[in-house]
Structure formats: structure tokens, C-alpha cells
Amino acid sequence: MESELAEILAPYEEKKGVLIPVLQQVQEKLGYISEEAISQIAKTLKLSGSDIFGVASFYTQFRFVKPGEHTVKICLGTACHVRGGEQILNTVKSYLSIDTGETTKDGKFSLERVACLGCCALSPVIVVDEVVHSKMNPLKTANLLSSYYQGGGDEV
Amino acid sequence: MKFEETKKKAIEEWESTTQKKVCIRVGTATCGRSSGALDVLKAINDELSRQNIDANVMEVGCLGLCYIEPMIDIYKPGHSRVIYANVTPDLMPQLIEDYLLRNNPRPDLALGTIGEGNIEGIPRFSELPMIKPQVRLVLKNCGHIDPVNINHYIANGGFGGLIKALKMKPEEIIEEVKKSGLRGRGGAGFPTGTKWGFCRSAEGVEKYIICNADEGDPGAFMNRSLLEGDPYLVLEGMVIGAYAIGATEGYIYTRAEYPLAIKRLEVALDRMREHGFLGEDILGSGFSFDMRIKQGAGAFVCGEETALMYSIEGKRGMPRPRPPFPATSGVWGKPSNINNVESWADVARILDQGADWYASFGTERSRGTKTFSLAGNVKRTGLIEVPLGIPLRQIIYDIGGGIVGDKEFKGVQSGGPSGGTIPAKLIDTLVDYEHLAEVGSIMGSGGLIVMDEDSCMVDMAHYFLDFVQKESCGKCVAGRVGTSQMMNILERIIQGEGQPGDVEKLESLANTLLATGLCALGGTAPNPVLTTIRYFREEYEAHINERRCPAKRCTALTSYYILPDKCEGCGICLRDCPAEAIQGGKRMVHIIDQSKCIKCGTCFDVCPPRFNAVVKVSGEKVEVPPEPVPVKASKKE
């Protein structure tokens, strides 16, 4: 992992205002911001570990635990809320037996809530990995999740 | 190359792509994609090559009719363009064969026509009820051009405003923008030209301009659509602004949640550099300027200008008190000017067509047009652009087509978490800065969420306050403690534990926040609470005094029951319940285990209408057997 990090960090050495893009790239590569990553970023950018954690924990994009194989994001924007986003979140929570920010024991799914994906006209929406599923309801959501345990998923 | 020559070449390319032979446009903005537009695109390409048809296939932005995505349109030389909505990959082979090979435009599938000529049986797109009241100044290219093809943009009048601007003195440009009456489209409505004047006259060699594309308002997607559909228009406005203000560098601060918009902006910036619209000595004018994209990382408060600037610097995005204003001390402590995506796009149109032309739209004090994202419980959801001063009724009923399922219209939320709810009785309110403020809401960036009778106004207030409370950066007392105290009260009200006097406590806290919030996030956070109390006080009282949610929305106050005398034991709800909360068996009356029920309403939705056995109640109890009993036995009782 150290060499992967070094590769990401190299072009940013001693540059100003680059912490957020650096964190974004690290997360894209490793899936999350690990403790080791924070200390290595600190060394390269000449910042303290607490500076970095302070910035990273401020922004909801960054996570500090390893994500599951698939990431389920539930949109809770206003339009999704009006059309039952909360019920969909409850369905997923109960189906996967995890809360938001957690990963299932089998490492299959992690669950996140997002403020708004900007697909309001198709609400309520959920995103599994990068695929947006529109006009959802609790039943469709449960079927979608179960399809991942039956080997499929992407085509639903 | 001179601009005239560039333009001539661009027009040639545009005509040969879109007019000389068959041209099929596919809307592949985010809303199209999430409805399956990319599969449609593939089906079209497959069929064209299978049939050996010579045609251009073009990916375009969004026409704004998100509710009937995916949309395509087909142009055949000598005919107008025909738009088809709600298309599927399976339909493509048949449609291509019918129209392109047999000359049958399939009026039964078509939505409307664009361009010269009529086709029998298909209405004109511009005459459709959802399009007719609209005036598309900034969305004019969306859905028509390939968003990243700079020649398409130039052929359709692009960079005309910049060419004019570079021949003017910076002060003249600022005067022109002032004359147009343009006010900030991010929501606050500050006159754009005046703002530019402050930054122009600020002392300093290095100056920055910023495009605020951190569209964080939940329920708003206007900026995303515009950036995905016509990125050059926004960027042209920025170059004009940079020249007028004397800026040396620019930033486009955009949400990381908008990957497609970012991708298109990146391509557009590269093309502009190649063509000399960005970089050293732009178009031989002696003016040098460049800009880059900065991605946000998911913090709503970064839409506030001072917070956004800290975020660009790589810090926690926390607002600071003003003054000093960004015009004198912004990014890296240098004079900076920040405008919303739509404002920059408006600037490009104003310089191209003139201030008088722009000011001829809208009202005396709210000039021009505004884009809105129309969403929620309205039939025709999507992105619209209307002249300011249009009645709200026209937006909801003419453009939006009324309420889904013809339910009763209850209210509309404008301005996101900083705005307010406008009740049904005020549906004739005119949509402009002044009139929205009069009824307690704000224009905001343009989200309009329509709510029907099933929406609970206490729940909406709770929703928005929950949002701002989570997004508050914690710097000022109003944001940190005030929102949290209000949240505690709202939480107990929707849990059925409200106490007499809670509404008054909310009002008193709200007024304190309004007066003491450091930034607009904390200072406007109480607006949704105040407007819902103002217009729907009786709903708060029902929750508090009767432990009842009149809209049957608040889950703690609402329950589902299966009526034993109606249930036929068919097993549908039992099978579909995602929480496995229903007990029963074949021909046994089903029972909902209230302790397991997550109140998702699936049983209510799937129970066959001929039985209609599931009821949703609030504030009352329904007698049901303690465990499943045979259907007949229960019916005798």
C-alpha cells in the first residue's frame, strides 16, 4: 500500500491547497482513508495528522472504515424524502441488518446516506456502486438487494 | 485563425452533422442515464449498423422532461426533428425501420416536432403544455447540441458575447450587466453588476473569479443539468467576467456527486484552451486568464461563499464573519468574485444579445428568466426555465400538469433548507424575489418540491432542520446549539411526545437563530419551521395535543392493520413484506407484528383492491385477533 500511496502523493509534494484532491485520490484507490494513509499524507504535505483528520472528517465524502464489496447509497434529498426515501432506507437497514456508515458482516454491502444526487425528478433513487436505480419502492429495493446474493444484480 | 474563420468552419461541421443526413439525438444527461439512455444509445447504434444505415448519432443534454426519459429525436433531411419519449432499447429496431426505411414517423409514439415543417399527427414541441409557458435563454442549447463539441456551440452563436466583450472596456461590460438587471441566481439575488464593480475596484494584482457549482440544496438539480447540457455557456460567461473584473485565475467549485458534469467541464476547458478562448492572450486581445475545477467533498455549508473559499484552499469549509467581503479578501486573501452557475450563463447571453433584450423578460425588479427543478408529487417533473414573475399556479398546473394521482395540492417548498413552504391557498403568488420573500420563502437556487395531501408539514420541517443540523459546521452558537435544540423539540413532536408550549418554544428559538446565525445556513435554518407554523399550525397541534399525524406520515404516530373481516388470506402482503413482519398462512387472516413493522406501506400498496384489507391509521386503534385465525371463522364473528 505504501508504494501506491507514494505514487498518488508524488506530484503534490510541497504544493498548497491540495489536501482535498489528495484525500479524494487516496480514497478512490484504497476505498477509504486508513490511519497509515493519514500519516503518509502528513509526511508528504508537511501537515500534522490531526490537521488531515480534521479536514477529512469535516467532509462526508471521506470514510475511515473499509467499505463492503458493494456500496448502497440511499438518497435522502427533499424529493426522495417526499416520495418515501426514509422507508427505503429502513427497508435496507432491516434487510441488511446494518446502520448507515456500516458494512455487513460478510463484507458484501456497505450502506451510506447521501443528501441529494440531483436525480430528483426520478425520486426516490438509490445507487448501488455507480448504477442509479430510479423510482424505487421498498419491495423493488428488497428484490434488488436479494439479486446480489443470487449472483446477479447489475441488470436489475 | 480569426474567429470569423473558426465560426465558418464550425457552422460547416454543424450543418454536415445535423442537417445533411439522418441525425439521431439521444439525451444522455444523468437523468436520461438513470432511466436507461445508454442502453437505448447502444440499441440505436447496433440497429444502424445491422441495417447499414448512414446516420449521425449524437449524445445531447437534457430537454428537461425528466419524467419521460429516456428521450431521443430523429432528424431526416427535409423534415422537422421528431422527439420520442419513454423509449426502450427493444423499441429501437422497429422505430428505425418504420421511420428511416418506410418513412412512417410513428405519430403514435412521437411527442413533438422541432424545426421547420409539420408532420401530420404530431404536435409542435414548442406548443406542448409543459413547454409553451417556458422561455429558454440559458437552456437554449440543452438537448440540441453535443455538449462537449465546441464547434456545435460556436455554430449556435457561442462565444458571440465574449467577442463583443473583448472589444469593450471592462467598465462598459460591468455597466451592461448592471443595465440588464441580472441578480444572483444562487438565491440571494444581489445585483451581479454591482458585485463585479466591488471586485474590479478592489486593490490587488492577483484576482480570482469562482463559479459556485456546489449545488447542495436537496431537491435542486438545475446547475447539474446546465453543466451537463451546455458547459461552454457557463465557461464563456466566466471569461467575460474575468476580463471585466481583471481576474487572472478562475475556479469552478463543483460537487463531487456530479461526475458527468465534471467530465464534461474538463473536456470543455481543454477545447477552449486549444481554440484560444482560455490561456495566454485570449483571441489576440492581450488578456490572459485560465481556470480549473475544484471538487467539493460533500459539505452543504461549502455553498456559502467564505466556506467555499476555505475549501478551495484545502481547509475545513467553515464560514467566517463578513466583512471583509470576498471582493476585497477572498481565496488566498486576494480579491475574489463568486457567482452561481446560472448567473455566469446569463452573463454570456446578456453580452451576446444586449442588456435591453435580457431586461425585456421578467418584471421591473426581477429581470430575466430563472431555471427551476420541479420535483416531488407533481406529474411532470423536470427542469424548466421561466420568465420571473410567472404565477406559481402556472408552474404547477400548466407546466407540471398538476398533482400525481390527482390528489390534493398541499404546498410547495421553494429555496431548499433556507426557504419556506408556500401553502395551496397562496398558489397565485408570483415567482420572483420580492413576492416569494413576502410569503416567507425565498427564491433560492431554484428547487421547487411539490407536496400533496400525504405530506406532513411537521415532518417536512423536521426533515429540513435535520438536514441543516447535520450540515452545520458547528462554528456559531446558532448553527451548533440552536439547530440542535429546535431539532430536539421537533423530534419529540413527531414521536408523539410533544408538550404544550412546544410551538411557541420553536418560534422563540427560530427568531434567535435568524438574528444570530453567522452565515446563511444557520441564519435561515428556521425558515421551513417558521413557514410551516405560520400556515399549518393546526398540524403541529394535532401532533402535540391528539398524538395524531393528520397526513398519516409520521411513522411513530401511524400504524398499519389488516382488517380481519376483509382479509382473504391470499398471502401477497406476507410474501412481499420486506421486514417479514406479517404472520399468517393460506386462508388464514394475516396479522402484522407491530413490533417488527417498519411502516414502509408495502402491504397497503400490494393488497388487491378487491379485498382492500390493509388500513393505515393515526391516532386510533384497530381491533385485530392476536394471532392468525382461519378466514371463515373470523368472518362469522
Side-chain angles (χ1 to χ4, degrees), chain B residues 6-289:
Chain B
T6 312
K7 187 163 179 171
K8 209 175 135 212
K9 287 218 162 120
I11 292 173
E12 276 167 24
E13 182 187 326
W14 168 253
E15 286 178 351
S16 89
T17 309
T18 61
Q19 289 160 28
K20 297 271 158 62
K21 60 179 169 185
V22 172
C23 178
I24 304 180
R25 290 171 168 89
V26 184
T28 57
T30 297
C31 31
R33 288 176 183 218
S34 40
S35 310
L38 293 180
D39 295 333
V40 171
L41 179 68
K42 188 176 175 297
I44 292 172
N45 281 321
D46 289 351
E47 186 60 20
L48 290 174
S49 62
R50 203 177 66 83
Q51 298 267 18
N52 221 352
I53 298 172
D54 182 25
N56 288 313
V57 181
M58 216 160 99
E59 287 190 51
V60 296
C62 175
L63 279 173
L65 309 175
C66 307
Y67 70 107
I68 40 175
E69 292 280 3
M71 287 172 71
I72 64 163
D73 82 71
I74 302 181
Y75 166 81
K76 264 179 95 165
H79 300 272
S80 53
R81 287 160 57 189
V82 185
I83 303 177
Y84 302 91
N86 262 333
V87 295
T88 58
D90 300 345
L91 182 69
M92 290 306 105
Q94 190 63 51
L95 183 63
I96 286 171
E97 186 169 326
D98 285 346
Y99 190 21
L100 297 184
L101 301 179
R102 296 177 205 278
N103 217 14
N104 172 5
R106 295 295 302 269
D108 57 318
L109 299 173
L111 179 77
T113 62
I114 294 183
E116 279 171 34
N118 287 314
I119 295 179
E120 210 186 311
I122 308 178
R124 308 248 342 136
F125 181 69
S126 57
E127 293 296 315
L128 294 175
M130 61 283 207
I131 301 299
K132 209 172 175 187
Q134 298 197 41
V135 176
R136 300 195 151 217
L137 306 186
V138 300
L139 299 178
K140 77 175 180 93
N141 287 332
C142 289
H144 301 291
I145 66 169
D146 175 349
V148 291
N149 187 320
I150 197 165
N151 285 335
H152 284 193
Y153 180 67
I154 294 172
N156 285 279
F159 297 113
L162 177 62
I163 298 294
K164 284 187 193 157
L166 292 174
K167 290 178 189 143
M168 293 161 75
K169 289 200 187 93
E171 290 78 9
E172 289 171 353
I173 299 174
I174 294 177
E175 270 319 302
E176 189 75 4
V177 175
K178 278 186 191 166
K179 208 171 109 192
S180 75
L182 176 64
R183 295 169 64 176
R185 294 296 189 241
F190 193 81
T192 306
T194 310
K195 190 168 174 176
W196 287 15
F198 293 147
C199 195
R200 165 100 208 146
S201 52
E203 277 181 37
V205 188
E206 274 173 77
K207 288 181 187 175
Y208 293 93
I209 60 158
I210 301 159
C211 172
N212 187 347
D214 191 43
E215 188 173 47
D217 271 19
F221 54 91
M222 304 78 48
N223 295 169
R224 172 183 66 65
S225 282
L226 181 55
L227 290 172
E228 287 176 357
D230 195 11
Y232 292 109
L233 187 69
V234 179
L235 299 176
E236 181 187 347
M238 289 183 74
V239 182
I240 295 169
Y243 174 71
I245 289 161
T248 44
E249 211 177 326
Y251 291 106
I252 304 145
Y253 186 91
T254 177
R255 299 181 79 202
E257 289 90 336
Y258 288 174
L260 185 64
I262 293 171
K263 214 160 98 191
R264 293 196 169 158
L265 279 170
E266 278 168 354
V267 178
L269 287 172
D270 282 344
R271 296 288 171 278
M272 282 174 69
R273 285 187 197 107
E274 286 162 19
H275 283 74
F277 295 110
L278 265 186
E280 295 290 315
D281 190 16
I282 292 173
L283 298 174
S285 64
F287 170 63
S288 299
F289 170 75

Side-chain angles (χ1 to χ4, degrees), chain B residues 437-612:
Chain B
E438 233 168 66
V439 297
S441 188
I442 61 166
M443 174 84 81
S445 61
L448 286 178
I449 310 286
V450 178
M451 291 170 287
D452 68 10
E453 55 193 282
D454 293 336
S455 298
C456 167
M457 292 301 144
V458 185
D459 171 68
M460 284 312 290
H462 175 269
Y463 167 80
F464 281 116
L465 209 65
D466 178 50
F467 179 83
V468 284
Q469 202 253 323
K470 287 200 171 86
E471 294 293 340
S472 165
C473 73
K475 189 165 176 175
C476 72
V477 180
R480 186 177 64 245
V481 188
T483 56
S484 165
Q485 287 302 321
M486 288 180 73
M487 194 58 198
N488 290 344
I489 298 175
L490 281 169
E491 186 67 36
R492 71 176 180 235
I493 296 177
I494 67 165
Q495 291 298 331
E497 290 155 9
Q499 298 159 9
D502 272 355
V503 175
E504 291 71 22
K505 266 185 206 148
L506 279 174
E507 286 176 315
S508 143
L509 279 166
N511 289 322
T512 311
L513 262 69
L514 289 178
T516 60
L518 168 63
C519 74
L521 180 113
T524 60
N527 279 346
V529 177
L530 284 175
T531 52
T532 48
I533 293 178
R534 179 166 158 192
Y535 298 119
F536 300 96
R537 198 181 187 102
E538 68 288 352
E539 282 193 34
Y540 281 84
E541 280 161 1
H543 282 73
I544 296 169
N545 301 332
E546 301 163 39
R547 308 285 184 240
R548 182 173 68 85
C549 173
K552 298 176 191 168
R553 173 91 196 186
C554 296
T555 48
L557 296 174
T558 306
S559 310
Y560 290 88
Y561 291 98
I562 298 170
L563 298 174
D565 55 336
K566 287 193 171 173
C567 177
E568 291 283 341
C570 71
I572 293 179
C573 62
L574 185 147
R575 183 195 67 205
D576 286 348
C577 174
E580 295 176 359
I582 300 181
Q583 303 157 352
K586 201 150 180 60
R587 302 290 291 161
M588 299 286 276
V589 165
H590 299 348
I591 309 287
I592 298 172
D593 181 344
Q594 298 294 335
S595 66
K596 281 191 184 166
C597 176
I598 58 169
K599 301 180 184 178
C600 68
T602 300
C603 52
F604 187 78
D605 294 335
V606 298
C607 182
R610 62 182 190 280
F611 306 147
N612 228 353

Side-chain angles (χ1 to χ4, degrees), chain A residues 16-17 20 24 54 58-61 76-78 81-83 87 91 113 115-116 118-122 132 134 138-139, chain B residues 31 34 66 218-219 221 224 255 294 296-298 311 313 315-317 376-377 381 459 463-464 467 553 576 599 602:
Chain A
K16 65 171 186 175
I20 294 168
Q24 283 167 333
F58 181 82
Y59 295 96
T60 50
Q61 190 186 7
L76 292 172
T78 319
H81 177 76
V82 168
R83 289 202 178 175
Q87 276 79 358
T91 307
R113 51 180 287 168
C116 185
C119 301
C120 314
L122 303 165
V132 180
S134 53
L139 184 59
Chain B
C31 31
S34 40
C66 307
F221 54 91
R224 172 183 66 65
R255 299 181 79 202
K294 278 272 176 181
S311 183
E313 296 174 14
K315 298 177 184 147
R316 290 165 70 99
N377 294 311
T381 53
D459 171 68
Y463 167 80
F464 281 116
F467 179 83
R553 173 91 196 186
D576 286 348
K599 301 180 184 178
T602 300

